């Protein structure tokens, strides 16, 4: 285990913390919990940029249905959770469509081009679903929020992708896309005003099949988008530099199940290869240590072996309970304990494997309930801090 307070030191020393890991391991929850605790204990203005908060969590952070805007979580919410915050907690959600529109507004060479792009049916259709658009826009938005200088610390959640590394490549891919031959090749015939699209048999057929405006919409879209090329590429590079900057650190979140743990290792190796800073690894939903105690195992074995006799002994204190049922429950409890113990042992091996990787390693237990409000986040945050 890491020395106490190392997670706190990490957050205190950085301006951007990117949480990453496989889907479902608790990335979003951990990002929100780390930010909430940082606001409560470290002070300053702390922003958590979430991507896909569960509905109840979004509610708790005041994010329901507000698009891209950042919202301050009121101090009252902290006080209700029994904490007097020293700083401010802000929360924002990623709205892909709004972020794309903002990007177009920034990079369009003039107002007419901007309006044409925003009104282009193809753009409107795909800006929410563009390949990699989620990944790219998350990084883009991070860049924008960081540049604003409004926050001392930004904790970023990452989108659930097939591959946990996708968002790292998103800026590069976006730059590649804009400089790609494919794109240039696609728009060459449309560039020249001399070419009359409607006169070409292929386009005539295509437009008849796809709807009359379809191809011209595509052409217009790509030509207009090309006008933003320089801005986009420059920006992608800036985002990449920010991720590699000393002020940025990555926190890998994983459970100790085989698949996510494996992916966490791959991710750590990849961060190293790219010279990105791995600040901490958070092992989430970890089974309690007492399952590893031999004495606990002995109790469980006894339950399984002597359940009939033990049920008889208990029956006098629980006269209202059916004796046979009591015996069965005891037996099942003993067995379940042993099953959990096997899993806990496997987890403990995984943990020692993973412990070799980062400077800071923290374990967070599997709580009885989902983590969906500020009190829950602060409770989880406590476990990151110790
Ligand atoms: N330590 C924990 N104990 C209990 N439930 C947890 C814990 N961490 C996360 N959860 C719950 O697990 C679910 C998935 O968490 P989430 O943060 O959305 O995962 P991800 O962002 O990695 O997909 C949520 O319902 C959350 O409340
Ligand atoms: Mg998530």
């Amino acid at each position: 285990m890491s020395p106490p307070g190392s997670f706190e030191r990490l957050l205190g020393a950085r301006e951007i913390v990117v949480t990453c890991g496989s889907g479902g391991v608790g990335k979003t929850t951990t990002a929100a919990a780390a930010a909430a605790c940082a606001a409560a204990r470290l002070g300053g203005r702390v922003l958590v940029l979430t991507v896909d908060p569960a509905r109840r969590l979004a509610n708790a952070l005041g994010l329901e249905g507000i698009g891209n805007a950042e919202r301050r979580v009121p101090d009252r919410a902290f006080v209700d959770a029994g904490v007097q915050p020293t700083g401010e907690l802000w929360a924002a959600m990623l709205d892909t469509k709004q972020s794309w529109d903002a990007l177009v507004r920034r990079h369009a060479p003039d107002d007419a081009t901007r309006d044409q792009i925003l009104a282009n049916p193809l753009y409107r259709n795909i800006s929410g679903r563009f390949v990699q658009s989620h990944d790219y826009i998350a990084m883009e938005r991070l860049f924008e929020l960081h540049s604003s200088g409004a926050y001392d610390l930004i904790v970023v959640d990452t989108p659930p992708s097939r591959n946990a590394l996708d968002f790292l490549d998103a800026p590069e891919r976006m730059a590649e896309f804009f400089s790609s031959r494919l794109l240039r090749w696609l728009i060459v015939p449309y560039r020249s005003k001399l070419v009359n699209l409607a006169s070409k048999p292929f386009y005539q057929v295509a437009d008849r099949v796809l709807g009359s405006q379809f191809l011209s919409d595509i052409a217009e879209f790509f030509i207009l988008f090309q006008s933003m090329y320089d801005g986009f590429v420059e920006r992608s590079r800036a985002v990449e530099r920010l991720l590699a900057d000393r002020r940025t650190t990555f926190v890998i979140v994983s459970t100790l199940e085989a698949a996510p743990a494996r992916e966490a290792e791959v991710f750590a190796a990849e961060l190293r290869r790219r010279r990105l800073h791995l600040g901490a690894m958070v092992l989430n939903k970890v089974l309690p240590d007492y399952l590893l105690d031999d004495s606990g195992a002995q109790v469980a074995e006894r339950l399984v072996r002597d359940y009939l006799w033990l049920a008889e002994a208990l029956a006098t204190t629980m006269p209202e309970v059916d004796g046979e049922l009591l015996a069965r429950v005891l037996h099942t409890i003993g067995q379940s304990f042993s099953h959990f113990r096997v899993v806990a042992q496997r987890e403990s091996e995984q943990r020692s494997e993973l412990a070799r990787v980062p400077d800071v390693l923290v374990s967070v237990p599997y709580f009885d309930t989902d983590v969906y409000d500020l009190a829950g986040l602060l409770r989880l945050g406590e476990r990151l801090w110790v």
Side-chain angles (χ1 to χ4, degrees):
M1 252 330 92
S2 327
S6 20
F7 200 84
E8 174 168 347
R9 260 207 303 282
L10 178 71
L11 264 54
R14 304 278 162 162
E15 289 174 22
I16 294 177
V17 175
V18 185
T19 61
C20 43
S22 328
V25 293
K27 268 190 313 256
T28 303
T29 314
T30 304
C37 247
R41 292 171 170 233
L42 288 174
R45 279 162 66 100
V46 182
L47 172 73
V48 55
L49 175 58
T50 63
V51 173
D52 61 341
R55 207 199 167 116
R56 281 198 294 184
L57 180 62
N59 250 331
L61 295 173
L63 289 177
E64 269 240 299
I66 61 153
N68 254 345
E70 303 126 70
R71 279 282 167 92
R72 176 153 180 208
V73 177
D75 281 350
R76 258 205 67 81
F78 279 90
V79 174
D80 287 348
V83 172
Q84 188 63 50
T86 53
E88 300 175 8
L89 176 63
W90 290 73
M93 206 153 63
L94 189 70
D95 184 312
T96 313
K97 172 85 180 107
Q98 277 189 7
S99 303
W100 269 109
D101 291 356
L103 209 59
V104 168
R105 287 200 185 91
R106 185 173 323 111
H107 292 308
D110 52 64
D111 292 358
T113 311
R114 175 199 64 203
D115 294 344
Q116 265 176 299
I117 294 178
L118 294 177
N120 181 285
L122 191 70
Y123 168 75
R124 292 168 59 143
N125 212 339
I126 67 175
S127 52
R129 294 177 240 160
F130 211 14
V131 190
Q132 307 295 336
S133 92
H134 223 66
D135 285 330
Y136 176 72
I137 222 70
M139 294 301 108
E140 160 65 34
R141 186 89 173 103
L142 166 65
F143 183 85
E144 192 190 337
L145 288 165
H146 182 257
S147 309
S148 79
Y151 301 98
D152 299 294
L153 173 67
I154 303 178
V155 185
V156 206
D157 181 23
T158 48
S161 9
R162 267 165 302 110
N163 181 343
L165 302 172
D166 278 353
F167 72 90
L168 287 180
D169 291 325
E172 171 67 23
R173 282 214 205 99
M174 193 55 72
E176 265 170 23
F177 172 74
F178 274 96
S179 49
S180 75
R181 283 209 190 151
L182 173 68
L183 186 57
R184 271 186 234 150
W185 177 82
L186 263 175
I187 63 175
V188 162
Y190 302 96
R191 273 230 160 116
S192 159
K193 295 265 189 307
L194 299 173
V195 179
N196 179 359
L197 296 182
S199 71
K200 303 214 159 190
F202 167 74
Y203 299 115
Q204 282 174 355
V205 174
D207 277 353
R208 216 175 303 140
V209 174
L210 300 167
S212 65
Q213 278 290 306
F214 189 78
L215 279 185
S216 23
D217 285 345
I218 292 185
E220 184 195 70
F221 171 72
F222 282 120
I223 290 170
L224 292 171
F225 245 62
Q226 278 264 304
S227 71
M228 304 194 298
Y229 172 83
D230 290 338
F232 257 84
V233 173
E234 199 183 295
R235 185 80 163 185
S236 300
R237 300 279 177 245
V239 172
E240 267 175 351
R241 278 197 300 277
L242 181 62
L243 292 180
D245 195 284
R246 297 177 66 87
R247 290 168 294 181
T248 304
T249 190
F250 290 78
V251 169
I252 300 180
V253 184
S254 180
T255 61
L256 286 167
E257 292 159 294
R262 174 82 199 113
E263 200 168 340
E265 273 177 327
V266 172
F267 200 85
E270 190 56 29
L271 288 177
R272 208 163 34 238
R273 193 179 72 72
R274 293 169 190 243
R275 297 171 184 275
L276 298 174
H277 184 261
L278 170 57
M281 176 117 44
V282 173
L283 306 177
N284 193 23
K285 303 189 180 183
V286 171
L287 288 174
D289 278 343
Y290 74 78
L291 285 168
L292 299 173
D293 274 1
D294 287 342
S295 39
Q298 282 158 16
V299 174
E301 274 164 31
R302 238 196 110 191
L303 277 181
V304 172
R305 195 177 57 231
D306 297 336
Y307 67 101
L308 284 174
W309 184 87
L310 288 167
E312 238 170 76
L314 265 181
T316 52
T317 59
M318 304 166 90
E320 73 287 2
V321 178
D322 175 55
E324 224 172 278
L325 179 65
L326 188 55
R328 233 182 298 141
V329 170
L330 287 177
H331 189 258
T332 308
I333 290 173
Q335 267 185 336
S336 302
F337 188 95
S338 307
H339 293 160
F340 274 115
R341 182 175 152 81
V342 172
V343 180
Q345 276 163 340
R346 231 177 270 150
E347 281 197 355
S348 142
E349 275 160 37
Q350 284 287 8
R351 179 162 34 185
S352 27
E353 288 283 307
L354 290 176
R356 290 179 308 184
V357 183
D359 292 338
V360 181
L361 181 82
V362 286
S363 294
V364 174
Y366 209 136
F367 293 112
D368 300 341
T369 62
D370 270 0
V371 184
Y372 53 84
D373 59 8
L374 197 57
L377 291 177
L378 290 168
R379 192 155 71 114
L380 199 155
E382 293 284 318
R383 306 304 292 252
L384 298 173
W385 244 248
V386 294

